[in-house]
Amino acid sequence: VGQVSLLIGAADVVHADGAREPLRRGAAILVGDRVETSANGHVHVRFIDNAAVSVRPESVLEVQAYRFDAKNPAVNEVRFNVEHGTARSISGAATEVDKTRFRLNTPIAAIGVRGTDFIVQADAVGMRATVSDGAIVVGALGANCAAAALGPCGGADARLLTADMGRLMAEVRQSDRVARV
């Protein structure tokens, strides 16, 4: 579903079957793969719909689902999980028609997009996100925001963050039930 377009330093891919191998430029990325970067590692992945993800040093990103059908956008699905660290996501054609077909989860929060370029930083105690272009919806995982769902979380607990809002960030701390801007 994707290919490593840039590799700086050291990084590994852990496949769904548990096999681990060093990443190299041009390597294929499959659904179920985890990209793990070292302290000096930085990886860019270009996906089949021209989306891009940058996985920064000391980070782990899992590609949980990636389905793109230009003729049938209702079946498109993009799902990432940032276990810890920092990643930048630039949306591709899979979410152009229907923005609810994208989800990026962290251990404590979920991000849905509105056609976007954003950066997320996650660890065990919190999640922070900024938007360079477009908008995201951030919600704390819980009763109103299930990790298994697709698209942005809804309701009063979710917060919209747009690039037009200026230099703001969305944040969810471990004990939060509501995202803050």
Side-chain angles (χ1 to χ4, degrees):
V1 296
Q3 185 176 42
V4 174
S5 59
L6 174 76
L7 173 63
I8 299 170
D12 291 333
V13 61
V14 179
H15 299 291
D17 65 3
R20 174 185 293 272
E21 63 183 284
L23 267 178
R24 59 179 170 64
R25 190 170 184 268
I29 299 297
L30 310 171
V31 170
D33 282 354
R34 290 167 34 111
V35 174
E36 299 182 355
T37 57
S38 66
N40 72 345
H42 190 130
V43 175
H44 288 190
V45 178
R46 178 68 61 183
F47 289 91
I48 56 176
D49 66 333
N50 212 30
V53 172
S54 170
V55 185
R56 307 284 170 86
E58 296 185 334
S59 300
V60 175
L61 173 109
E62 180 183 5
V63 180
Q64 295 181 322
Y66 214 103
R67 187 177 333 170
F68 173 59
D69 184 340
K71 294 179 183 172
N72 188 9
V75 302
N76 291 347
E77 179 179 2
V78 177
R79 184 185 308 274
F80 297 121
N81 183 44
V82 175
E83 292 182 19
H84 68 269
T86 304
R88 178 181 181 189
S89 175
I90 301 171
S91 299
T95 58
E96 277 180 8
V97 174
D98 186 353
K99 312 284 189 262
T100 66
R101 307 303 300 166
F102 177 96
R103 169 66 77 87
L104 184 145
N105 285 327
T106 70
I108 62 171
I111 298 174
V113 298
R114 300 268 157 73
T116 264
D117 176 351
F118 70 96
I119 296 173
V120 61
Q121 181 183 32
D123 57 34
V125 297
M127 184 275 328
R128 289 152 301 287
T130 60
V131 179
S132 298
D133 186 43
I136 60 175
V137 177
V138 178
L141 292 175
N144 296 326
C145 184
L150 190 60
C153 296
D157 297 345
R159 296 290 180 259
L160 176 70
L161 179 65
T162 71
D164 295 338
M165 294 168 77
R167 299 176 52 96
L168 296 177
M169 76 170 51
E171 180 180 51
V172 177
R173 306 291 292 162
Q174 189 174 33
S175 60
D176 291 347
R177 292 191 178 140
V178 177
R180 292 188 299 276
V181 173

